[in-house]
Amino acid sequence: MDRRSVAILAAGLALAAVLAVGAALAYAKSSEEALWRLGSAREPPKLGALGKHAAWWRAAWAPGPRLVVSEEYRERVVQIALRDPDVSRLLEEGYNVTNVKPIVKAYVEADGSVNLRADEALIVLRKDGGVAAVLVSLTEERVTKVVVHTVAVIEK
């Protein structure tokens, strides 16, 4: 191959890479919004060992739709979470409840009517160097999943 062919090939590959990254970012953004709208944030897609909980964490940190959560709902969710030994241990380690996010699902009946329910909620716990997401089922009145993400800093 001559230099011109190599340069054209390199430019084509660079353009393809830029388009692929743009498409991936657009897809990730639309997936993040869809997770909140559809309420499917609790089941992440199979992404391999490192990205296993990526979709779930994106949903935990996403601003989501603007919902006003009553103090009674928030207290009920937190009380259910406090009964779980893993959540209690995290709170003893210094984590604090920073957010309670309802997971709203729309149920379509046979006649076409739509009912909205928030039978699950996501609690975000934070402390310096760590974040935990706790999924609470209000119908079962128990914690169904706890995901802890810590950041290790090595000072030299």
Side-chain angles (χ1 to χ4, degrees):
M1 287 178 127
D2 62 341
R3 286 185 149 176
R4 183 172 185 226
S5 297
V6 171
I8 291 173
L9 181 62
L13 288 174
L15 178 62
V18 167
L19 291 175
V21 168
L25 290 174
Y27 176 75
K29 180 65 177 167
S30 67
S31 294
E32 177 180 312
E33 292 169 358
L35 282 173
W36 272 106
R37 288 193 186 113
L38 299 177
S40 62
R42 68 184 192 137
E43 292 299 329
K46 304 297 183 223
L47 299 173
L50 292 177
K52 188 165 129 179
H53 298 289
W56 202 66
W57 277 105
R58 255 197 328 270
W61 290 333
R66 302 294 181 237
L67 297 174
V68 177
V69 179
S70 71
E71 192 61 34
E72 294 84 12
Y73 183 88
R74 185 183 191 290
E75 286 299 318
R76 182 174 174 213
V77 170
V78 171
Q79 290 303 318
I80 292 170
L82 289 175
R83 291 194 301 248
D84 186 78
D86 294 322
V87 175
S88 297
R89 182 179 46 81
L90 289 172
L91 293 172
E92 289 171 3
E93 291 176 6
Y95 283 85
N96 295 310
V97 176
T98 59
N99 207 345
V100 175
K101 297 180 178 187
I103 298 174
V104 179
K105 294 182 183 178
Y107 295 93
V108 180
E109 304 297 331
D111 64 354
S113 63
V114 178
N115 296 316
L116 296 175
R117 303 249 339 134
D119 292 331
E120 292 181 312
L122 185 67
I123 299 176
V124 179
L125 305 173
R126 293 180 191 252
K127 80 169 190 175
D128 289 339
V131 177
V134 178
L135 187 62
V136 176
S137 170
L138 280 89
T139 55
E140 299 174 24
E141 293 200 357
R142 70 181 187 93
V143 172
T144 57
K145 188 181 286 188
V146 177
V147 179
V148 180
H149 180 72
T150 58
V151 177
V153 177
I154 301 171
E155 293 188 30
K156 295 186 176 195

